[in-house]
Amino acid sequence: MMPFSGRKDGLSVSEALPDRSLFTLVAMMSFLAALTLAGATGARALSARWAGGAAQLVTVQVPDPDQPLKPTSNKKDPTGPSRAETVLADLNTLPPGTVVHRLDKEELARLLEPWLGEADNSALPLPAIIRIRLPDRTQVPNDLEQTLTAHVPGTIVEHNASWGERLKALANSLLACAGLALLTVGGIATLVTGLATRAGLSTRRDIIEILHGLGASDGYIAGRFAWRTAMLGLGGSLAGTVLAMVPLLVLFRMAAPFANISFQSDTLLLPDWKTLQNVIPTDMLVAFAALPFAAAFICWITTQSMVRLWLRRLP
Amino acid sequence: MIRLENVSWRRSKKQNTQVLSDLSFSIPQGGFRWLLGPSGAGKSSLLSLLHLETLPTEGRMLLLGKPVSKAEKRAHFVRLRQRIGMVHQDYKLIPGLSVADNVALPLRLQKRPEDEIQDEIQAILKWVGLGERLNAPAASLSGGEQQRTAIARAIIHRPGLILADEPTNALEESQAHRLLDMFAELSDMGTTMVVATHNEALIRRLERPALYLERGRLVRDEGAAP
C-alpha cells in the first residue's frame, strides 16, 4: 500500500482534492514547461555552438578566382598563380592544425541550391569560397584581411567570431528568458496547488480538528493531503509532457536539417520520423522525464508547507 | 496527574474575553473529579484546556505529569493527546466512517497492528452494546448510539486521562449506570478522570470529589487537602 493512501480516517482526500482542476492545471503548466525546456535546450545548444566551434570558423571569398594575379602584357601566356591560389598560399601561414578547404564546384552548387535551384550555374561568375577552421584556443591574425586584400584585391574575409559573439549573447538571453519562464510556470503551479490545498482544508476542517484531538501528528495530516496532490501533480504533468511532445516532434523534424548543419555536413533534407529520436538531444529527454517528478515534488512540498502552517493555529 | 497553578484562559486577546480565571487544583493519578457548575461556568472550556485544544494564557499546567506551555514542541502535545480520551458533548464522530472505523481511530493513529485493532473494536463495541452496529455509518446512529460510540473511542486505547463532557445525557438510566461503574473501575485501575455533568442522580450514585466552577472561577475543590 502506498504511504498515507486508503486510510479510514474520514479525510477522504480524493473528495477533498478532486482530480479535475488540479490535474488539468498541472497538465497545462507542464505542457508550457516542456515547450520552454525545449526552447532552453535549443538556446543552450546555440550558445555552446557559438561559444565553441562556430567562433573558430572563417570564410574567405575570392572574386575572379581563376584569373592570374598579375595581368601580363602577353595575353597568350597568362602564366603565374591565380588569385585563389595566391590566397591559399597566404593561408599557409596560419597556426598549425588549421584546416583550409576550398569548396569545389559541386559543393558550391549545393550551397547555392536554395537560391539558384539545380540549374547549371557554370556561366555565373562565382567567387571561390574557402572555409577555414582554426584549432581551439587560437585566434585569427588581426592582419589577415589586410594581408589578403593587399595581395589579392577584392578578397573578402568573413570572420564568424565578430557576429558569433552577438549571437552567443542572444542565445544566452534566450536561455535566461527560458529560465524565467520555467520559474514562472513553477510559481503558478505552486499557487494552483496552494489554492487547491486551501479549498481541501476548508472542506475538511472539522475532521482535521477531530483527528488532531485524537493525537494525529502534523506529519500525518500533511502527508495525507500532500500525497494526494503529489499524485495529481505526477499524473497531470505526465499528461502535459506527453501532449507537448506532439508539437515538439514536428518542430524538431522541421529544425533537424538546420541543427545538423556542420562544417562537414550540408544536408538539408527532413529526417525520417523513425530516425528522429536520434536528433532529439539526450539532455532534453532527461529533462522531459524529470518534469513529472519535479511537478509532483512542487505539489508535495507546497501542500506539506500549507497544511503544516494551517495546523499551527491548533496547539 | 494533573496540576494547575493560577491558570487563566482568554478566548481572544483583542476582546480580552476571560473565560477561565486563576484556577489552581491538582488531581492525583487515578483520581476522579466531578466537574460541576451552572451553564456558562466554564466546564467545557476547562475540559478543552485539559484536552489541549487550547493552551493557558497564564499560569502553569501539568498534564499526566508533563508540562504544558507554548514553549513545548508540537510532538510533545501529540504524545500527550494520544494518552487522553475525550467524550465531547456533541460526540464529534466522523459521519463518513462506520462505527468500527470511528472507534479504531486512536489505535490507527498510534499505528497499532490491524488484527489487534479488530480484536479491541469487537470487545469494546460489545461492551457498549453496539456489537451489532459495527459497520453502521456514524451518520445513521441515534443520539444514544453516537454517545456510546464516542465513549468507546475515548477509552479503546486505555488512556491515562479520560475527560467527559455530559457523557450520559443521551443514555438510558441502565446504560448510564454501567458507564459510571466502568469509570469507577478505570479510576481504580489508575486512570485519571474528570467528568462534567448536571445529573444529580449520577453524582449521588458515584460519590467522588467535585470541582465547582462559577463564572470561570473555581469556587470549591472537594479534593483539596483540608
Side-chain angles (χ1 to χ4, degrees):
Chain A
M1 185 185 283
M2 292 174 173
F4 300 113
S5 68
R7 296 284 171 85
K8 291 176 183 172
D9 56 12
L11 281 176
S12 306
V13 285
S14 56
E15 291 166 25
L17 296 164
D19 50 5
R20 285 184 297 277
S21 51
L22 190 58
F23 183 93
T24 312
L25 288 167
V26 172
M28 288 162 72
M29 291 298 112
S30 297
F31 183 85
L32 287 176
L35 294 183
T36 311
L37 271 174
T41 309
R44 204 179 59 175
L46 265 183
S47 175
R49 188 180 172 86
W50 291 113
Q56 302 302 105
L57 291 178
V58 179
T59 308
V60 178
Q61 283 187 45
V62 188
D64 303 325
D66 300 323
Q67 294 294 315
L69 182 61
K70 290 178 182 172
T72 56
S73 55
N74 185 358
K75 287 183 180 179
K76 288 180 183 175
D77 182 24
T79 53
S82 69
R83 287 163 55 84
E85 285 166 345
T86 308
V87 169
L88 284 169
D90 281 346
L91 292 175
N92 283 334
T93 59
L94 288 172
T98 303
V99 178
V100 178
H101 173 70
R102 180 182 173 181
L103 269 60
D104 59 27
K105 283 184 180 175
E106 285 179 3
E107 287 173 319
L108 205 54
R110 260 206 305 277
L111 191 67
L112 296 172
E113 199 175 287
W115 293 272
L116 302 178
E118 292 179 2
D120 179 19
N121 52 35
S122 56
L124 290 173
L126 296 176
I129 304 292
I130 301 167
R131 279 180 180 170
I132 304 163
R133 179 182 283 279
L134 292 158
D136 290 344
R137 290 184 289 278
T138 56
Q139 288 187 334
V140 180
N142 291 332
D143 58 350
L144 178 68
E145 189 164 6
Q146 281 179 331
T147 307
L148 294 180
T149 315
H151 286 176
V152 184
T155 302
I156 301 166
V157 176
E158 288 178 2
H159 187 205
N160 294 345
S162 55
W163 51 278
E165 281 301 316
R166 290 180 192 169
L167 279 175
K168 187 184 159 193
L170 178 68
N172 283 338
S173 306
L174 284 174
L175 200 59
C177 285
L180 274 177
L182 276 177
L183 275 179
T184 308
V185 165
I188 295 171
T190 305
L191 195 68
V192 164
T193 310
L195 289 172
T197 304
R198 199 171 67 173
L201 284 173
S202 67
T203 62
R204 291 293 180 270
R205 183 193 174 100
D206 291 346
I207 293 170
I208 292 171
E209 285 179 359
I210 292 171
L211 292 176
H212 183 261
L214 289 171
S217 64
D218 293 0
Y220 175 85
I221 296 169
R224 293 276 281 119
F225 281 89
W227 182 253
R228 170 70 179 166
T229 57
M231 287 297 103
L232 288 175
L234 185 72
S237 181
L238 203 61
T241 307
V242 169
L243 273 179
M245 292 298 281
V246 177
L248 284 176
L249 279 176
V250 175
L251 198 67
F252 261 95
R253 187 165 179 261
M254 289 165 65
F258 302 101
N260 263 349
I261 287 173
S262 64
F263 191 65
Q264 287 80 17
S265 166
D266 46 17
T267 178
L268 284 167
L269 295 173
L270 290 178
D272 186 55
W273 287 106
K274 287 177 185 171
T275 57
L276 198 59
Q277 58 183 343
N278 303 325
V279 178
I280 300 174
T282 313
D283 56 347
M284 203 174 80
L285 287 176
V286 170
F288 282 173
L291 195 56
F293 296 100
F297 180 72
I298 287 174
C299 293
W300 183 85
I301 198 82
T302 304
T303 305
Q304 276 277 349
S305 311
M306 276 207 68
V307 176
R308 283 173 185 269
L309 271 176
W310 189 90
L311 286 169
R312 288 270 154 190
R313 68 183 69 181
L314 306 172
Chain B
M1 183 263 250
I2 298 173
R3 185 157 73 221
L4 273 71
E5 291 175 12
N6 309 110
V7 165
S8 298
W9 178 61
R10 276 196 304 272
R11 195 179 303 279
S12 157
K13 276 185 184 174
K14 285 180 187 172
Q15 294 172 355
N16 199 23
T17 335
Q18 189 97 342
V19 180
L20 299 170
S21 303
D22 204 25
L23 301 183
S24 295
F25 65 87
S26 66
I27 307 172
Q29 189 63 38
F32 186 112
R33 294 289 183 277
W34 291 111
L35 187 56
L36 307 176
S39 295
K43 300 190 294 294
S44 295
S45 297
L46 177 56
L47 288 177
S48 296
L49 198 67
L50 296 176
H51 190 220
L52 301 172
E53 289 165 34
T54 185
L55 297 177
T57 41
E58 286 168 45
R60 285 187 66 227
M61 185 163 119
L62 281 177
L63 209 57
L64 293 162
K66 308 284 182 189
V68 171
S69 75
K70 287 176 182 167
E72 301 296 335
K73 290 183 178 171
R74 291 178 68 79
H76 172 76
F77 295 127
V78 170
R79 284 193 294 271
L80 270 178
R81 275 190 210 99
Q82 289 183 347
R83 293 175 60 199
I84 301 173
M86 173 80 182
V87 184
H88 292 272
Q89 205 169 359
D90 55 356
Y91 322 128
K92 290 200 186 297
L93 300 180
I94 296 177
L97 293 182
S98 67
V99 170
D101 287 333
N102 263 291
V103 173
L105 278 171
L107 299 180
R108 288 201 172 123
L109 290 171
Q110 290 175 24
K111 297 175 183 161
R112 300 272 187 90
E114 196 58 31
D115 51 351
E116 182 189 316
I117 291 173
Q118 292 304 324
D119 292 346
E120 295 282 355
I121 292 171
Q122 300 273 355
I124 199 89
L125 286 181
K126 195 174 171 187
W127 188 85
V128 295
L130 290 172
E132 305 297 316
R133 300 281 279 155
L134 230 84
N135 298 313
S140 70
L141 301 178
S142 68
E145 287 173 328
Q146 286 188 54
Q147 191 152 43
R148 281 181 279 156
T149 307
I151 290 163
R153 188 180 65 185
I155 61 178
I156 192 169
H157 56 302
R158 295 179 176 76
L161 168 65
I162 292 178
L163 308 166
D165 197 356
E166 303 285 359
T168 59
N169 61 358
L171 298 183
E172 292 171 9
E173 194 179 346
S174 62
Q175 288 171 337
H177 289 168
R178 281 186 65 200
L179 181 66
L180 268 197
D181 291 344
M182 189 197 67
F183 278 177
E185 196 180 323
L186 286 170
S187 173
D188 292 343
M189 288 166 65
T191 305
T192 310
M193 316 230 22
V194 181
V195 181
T197 188
H198 282 107
N199 190 328
E200 296 286 338
L202 282 185
I203 302 163
R204 280 196 299 275
R205 185 178 165 86
L206 185 65
E207 290 189 359
R208 298 292 167 97
L211 298 163
Y212 286 89
L213 288 180
E214 268 183 30
R215 293 181 185 171
R217 292 185 178 276
L218 184 66
V219 292
R220 194 163 85 232
D221 178 4
E222 292 179 348

